[in-house]
Amino acid sequence: MKKIINNPNDVVSEMLEGFARGNPKIIYFPEFAVISRKEKKRKVGLVSGGGSGHEPAHAGYVGKGMLDAAVAGNVFSSPGPDRIIKGIKEANNGEGVLLIIKNYAGDIMNFELAKELAEMEDVQIEYVIVKDDVAVPDSTYSTGRRGIAGTVFVHKIAGAKAEAGGTLEEVKKVAQQTIDNIRSMGMSMSPCILPNVGKPAFELAENIMEIGMGIHGEPGVEKTEIGNASKIAEVLTNRILEDMDFIGSEVALMVNGLGGTPLMELYILNNEVSKILDSKNIKIHRTFVGNYMTSLEMSGASVTLLKLNDELKELLDAPSDAPSFHV
Amino acid sequence: MKKIINNPNDVVSEMLEGFARGNPKIIYFPEFAVISRKEKKRKVGLVSGGGSGHEPAHAGYVGKGMLDAAVAGNVFSSPGPDRIIKGIKEANNGEGVLLIIKNYAGDIMNFELAKELAEMEDVQIEYVIVKDDVAVPDSTYSTGRRGIAGTVFVHKIAGAKAEAGGTLEEVKKVAQQTIDNIRSMGMSMSPCILPNVGKPAFELAENIMEIGMGIHGEPGVEKTEIGNASKIAEVLTNRILEDMDFIGSEVALMVNGLGGTPLMELYILNNEVSKILDSKNIKIHRTFVGNYMTSLEMSGASVTLLKLNDELKELLDAPSDAPSFHV
Amino acid sequence: MGFKMSSADYVDYINYAAKIIEKDGEYITALDAATGDGDHWINMDTGLKKLVSMEKELSQLSLQDMMKKIGMTMMSVIGGSAGVLYGGSYIAASKVCAGKDVIDCDLLGEILEAMRLDIMNRNKSEPGFKTMLDALYPAVEAFKSGKDAGLEEKELLALIKQAADEGSKSTAAMEAVRGRACYQADKGVGHIDPGSVTMAYLIGALCDWATKLSN
Amino acid sequence: MGFKMSSADYVDYINYAAKIIEKDGEYITALDAATGDGDHWINMDTGLKKLVSMEKELSQLSLQDMMKKIGMTMMSVIGGSAGVLYGGSYIAASKVCAGKDVIDCDLLGEILEAMRLDIMNRNKSEPGFKTMLDALYPAVEAFKSGKDAGLEEKELLALIKQAADEGSKSTAAMEAVRGRACYQADKGVGHIDPGSVTMAYLIGALCDWATKLSN
Ligand SMILES: Nc1ncnc2c1ncn2[C@@H]1O[C@H](COP(=O)(O)OP(=O)(O)O)[C@@H](O)[C@H]1O
Ligand SMILES: Nc1ncnc2c1ncn2[C@@H]1O[C@H](COP(=O)(O)OP(=O)(O)O)[C@@H](O)[C@H]1O
Ligand SMILES: [Mg+2]
Ligand SMILES: [Mg+2]
Ligand SMILES: [Mg+2]
Ligand SMILES: [Mg+2]
């Protein structure tokens, strides 16, 4: 394992400290692994979080126009309720707090428990659950779809609505509307290494890619021979388009890197995806290419489409000064 | 080789096309691999460029407050003079053009020739040469130090000066002053793969890192056992501080990832570097952590310090809307 | 003569269990990597080591407070699914320990039952969903049926341990409904659920420890 | 009877040289990877293949225009150090070809000399700096001394080829002053400079081709 770390047990705290050090606009609560906005304002508070290893998620999305607090768990593990409660308290400015949760059993159980406990202290709390990963069939029986890169759009749009003075109900509504209109699909070409484990969880043969791998390195739905960029774009985009009808609509497009894939390749993938969307009469309103929701050093990428209407467009285009999402 | 590409010969053109597709503020000239700003303004024009494979350099730095044009060469190869001339023409708004060149023989020869040829067409041209890599001893006999991540600060500061209406002479002067006050040092833990070659240029044993490796994957000055983050920070920072006295001054700090290293590790490294600087009474005015000057999928990082005075601080803090460098 | 487990004894059990988990890192990690995110062993190992480091403090608490403290600690230190599930179940268990000085065989049964209920309620899980519950659930059933059958204490403990172990192994054939394996196309069929393995280890270790105290 | 190389013949030579370079990818790439950035073979291979693809067009040009076109093409297609150095040297060579229909032995000497001068001027390089010049420089010297010694044409061509080859090999012992190897702590000592190897191949191939035309 080659990583720039000290003790594998300390990666999360040292990472957050390193994040906090270059960043005068945030406060870091080391005991709780919480990063929150310094500037307070009477508005709905937004809290997101989850396991670490997905940087810049979630701390990088704390800022004006996005999140008020980010709560970090251990690598790939949801934070416990005590941390989340701290995040809720820091985000609370008296107008209630919205939790943006990714659909993993661990996240949901911890955030729900935190919500219950924080409500006892008279904070008004609502939550939404992001489930954008079309690799997984949607299901009401099992946990259902995971939340992946599309979550960043939910942060952005709910954040803009809150910044604009929306009520908790309104912010929740637009967050849910965003979730209903997001679809993502990813692929991976190489594994990541948990600092504490020290070796890759799996190996992929030289010519194999894994479709639909989770952002925690959970195995994907299919291993196939690696195609060229055009083929990869086709597989990812078609899977999304099969799941939801985007034809004729305006979208926000995110081509997200998983951490180990260079920007050059993400741009090449963006080129192919954009060509497909053009050919299907899907208008790209805005494009985001970069590492937004990663899995440590995993190589690979995901594609996210968000169907826009006038309100979502306006909210997406509103300014944000979060360190890792400038608009 | 696992890369999201099509034909290895087309990576540069497809990457630039993919970059241009999500970016309404730029113009892309495919025949010349040039990306330039759409908005024109009577001001000094700034041109930078070099081999591809360093994304987001250089196209990601084209924008208001930074570059006017970026010229891309093949992977790790300087663009030829014809391309550079096109970049100069696009950047020229009648107030002259400054070329920001990294100190590699190939870059210098091509940019100098382009300058000569463009001058025949009555464009006023000056250039500066960035040489911030302290891994290499400075030398007037040989080519001397390489230009690496510090180049981004030169783009930023010269860009702000030009945006503020500085004359060619003034912009050149502040660019040179920036160069004189920048020092960088890098290390790498794994190789990159040229798309056209298809396999790594070298292997590093499991416990070995290479100090002072170039951003083109040129071998470093020393191979040593990989240390922890604290040790790595010490090696890189001390080498910089031995080269130039930063004690007591204010600096801009960049912790730059080489492409394959996750943000988590960059933040951990930033934490260690910042602690060292604190302990030496070096005040950090602004911190930049991310992938700014990469080497394809190489893993590793570099540290850059820029000594600031009031003018440089103001210029560094001035707004920039370049896609990969928001201030 | 039945076993009587004090807080101090329980802390000894935690020490013993921590060593068992620690030893089996490769296997448990591989199980979670096969269908999940590979962190389950790290999670459990970190949590148990944390508890071991608190042994002084824990062994001086009342049974109820110790159980609660264990729960809060696991929730906070481990995080993830395992943290909140174990954490919640220990907090639930602390309630049935109210006013008790030691865990005897009957209280052990109540504790396991309280844990089982809490885990089932936490995320609406049932046996057969391919989770840790598939070790805990049959263990509780074994306790009940063994009791009804009038088994001797040591036999009963052995039966519980065996039921947990068999329950865990039976997860291999199950389609996952909860946990990360449910994202798989094959729902993890063919793979044993890692959480059921650590649950079976912990139950087995507890039965061993109680058996030792039975002498 | 001396050789006479027309534009079409020169294009045939380029074809021949391109095949030689193409064959040796592993070796040349490894040389550039050892001290540089590993792209020298790709650069040369891409450039020569581009020229081969233009063979129709090139062979119809006058000697001067062909040389110039080759130079512009290499500069633009290859980029990097090799592109501008070869490109510039071909443009310099085009000047000495003005008004000539064929390259004969004397013109060959003038061409090599013009190239050498251009490369030396481009970035103030000298022989001994561990570059392509260390193949080209002795080749020009060999031409001169061989001429002076009144060697027969084929012998002269063989001597030039040999000088380029030996010059290239001699770079192994040199400390780099130009090129990427100069960033190394050991200045690349012990490694042959890749640019000198391709230069020696190209000169060698040119001598072979001229020898063939000599018959
Ligand atoms: N809803 C649930 N009910 C019961 N057990 C669950 C549930 N979700 C997950 N588990 C158990 O948790 C285990 C995984 O724990 P762990 O790897 O620590 O957490 P995570 O899945 O968050 O990475 C699974 O193997 C399963 O036994
Ligand atoms: N200033 C120079 N003068 C002469 N030859 C040079 C000079 N700089 C580099 N070279 C030659 O160029 C070769 C490298 O070419 P190439 O790998 O294509 O370019 P780059 O160094 O830009 O990657 C070196 O091996 C050396 O022979
Ligand atoms: Mg986990
Ligand atoms: Mg090169
Ligand atoms: Mg897990
Ligand atoms: Mg090279």
Side-chain angles (χ1 to χ4, degrees), chain A residues 1-6 17-18 21 189 204-206 208 228-230 265 267 270-272 275 278, chain B residues 1-2 4-6 17-19 21 189 204-206 208 228-230 265 267 270-272 275 278:
Chain A
M1 175 179 60
K2 289 189 171 185
K3 285 184 191 280
I4 306 178
I5 62 172
N6 295 307
E17 194 180 326
R21 273 173 196 274
M189 300 180 293
L204 282 175
E206 179 51 34
I208 297 299
N228 61 14
S230 147
E265 295 174 35
Y267 280 126
N270 181 51
N271 192 35
E272 297 297 338
K275 283 196 280 186
D278 280 359
Chain B
M1 174 180 58
K2 287 187 172 186
I4 306 176
I5 61 172
N6 295 308
E17 193 180 328
F19 174 84
R21 274 174 196 272
M189 300 180 293
L204 281 175
E206 178 51 33
I208 296 300
N228 61 15
S230 147
E265 296 174 34
Y267 280 125
N270 180 51
N271 192 35
E272 298 297 336
K275 283 196 281 187
D278 281 357

Side-chain angles (χ1 to χ4, degrees), chain B residues 32 35 60 62-63 85 94 105 173 175 202 305:
Chain B
F32 296 97
I35 298 276
V62 172
I85 291 169
K173 193 168 150 238
F202 59 95
L305 291 188

Side-chain angles (χ1 to χ4, degrees), chain A residues 268-286:
Chain A
I268 292 174
L269 183 59
N270 181 51
N271 192 35
E272 297 297 338
V273 172
S274 301
K275 283 196 280 186
I276 296 175
L277 298 182
D278 280 359
S279 77
K280 307 226 182 221
N281 189 26
I282 297 169
K283 181 158 179 275
I284 304 168
H285 171 67
R286 237 177 210 276

Side-chain angles (χ1 to χ4, degrees), chain D residues 32 37-40 43 180:
Chain D
D32 197 26
D37 59 351
D39 62 353
H40 183 62
N43 288 343
R180 293 186 190 278

Side-chain angles (χ1 to χ4, degrees), chain C:
Chain C
M1 195 207 91
F3 70 85
K4 303 258 179 275
M5 214 179 225
S6 66
S7 291
D9 293 328
Y10 200 87
V11 170
D12 287 344
Y13 148 66
I14 295 279
N15 265 299
Y16 170 63
K19 286 200 192 86
I20 292 176
I21 297 289
E22 186 185 19
K23 268 201 329 249
D24 231 11
E26 297 255 338
Y27 173 61
I28 299 165
T29 298
L31 287 181
D32 197 26
T35 58
D37 58 352
D39 63 353
H40 183 61
W41 173 74
I42 293 284
N43 288 343
M44 295 305 293
D45 188 57
T46 309
L48 288 166
K49 287 209 168 109
K50 177 73 187 178
L51 293 178
V52 167
S53 79
M54 296 161 66
E55 57 181 338
K56 278 257 166 57
E57 180 189 351
L58 288 173
S59 57
Q60 278 154 18
L61 295 176
S62 73
L63 216 45
Q64 179 177 20
D65 289 351
M66 179 198 65
M67 288 291 191
K68 192 170 166 209
K69 186 89 194 171
I70 290 176
M72 305 284 279
T73 303
M74 292 189 90
M75 228 180 237
S76 154
V77 171
I78 300 185
S81 303
V84 66
L85 289 164
Y86 273 101
S89 70
Y90 264 98
I91 292 170
S94 78
K95 291 173 193 161
V96 302
C97 293
K100 305 285 170 77
D101 290 331
V102 292
I103 303 173
D104 61 11
C105 195
D106 285 339
L107 185 53
L108 180 71
E110 283 181 62
I111 288 173
L112 292 176
E113 172 67 28
M115 288 183 155
R116 174 170 93 165
L117 206 69
D118 191 78
I119 290 177
M120 289 179 70
N121 284 339
R122 176 81 39 214
N123 197 20
K124 298 171 213 72
S125 296
E126 287 173 32
F129 280 15
K130 199 181 185 89
T131 70
M132 54 172 72
L133 201 56
D134 290 305
L136 177 56
Y137 197 97
V140 176
E141 294 301 300
F143 179 90
K144 289 182 182 167
S145 61
K147 262 277 167 187
D148 289 350
L151 286 192
E152 216 192 293
E153 201 175 274
K154 286 192 185 176
E155 284 169 355
L156 181 63
L157 291 167
L159 189 72
I160 296 171
K161 177 174 176 170
Q162 193 195 339
D165 183 53
E166 283 171 3
S168 166
K169 296 209 169 95
S170 75
T171 60
M174 297 176 185
E175 291 195 356
V177 179
R178 291 286 181 276
R180 293 187 191 278
C182 73
Y183 307 131
Q184 307 301 295
D186 62 0
K187 302 288 175 199
V189 170
H191 298 279
I192 294 179
D193 174 63
S196 75
V197 172
T198 51
M199 178 60 90
Y201 283 3
L202 292 179
I203 293 172
L206 186 56
C207 292
D208 290 349
W209 209 251
T211 305
K212 229 186 85 181
L213 293 177
S214 250
N215 292 327

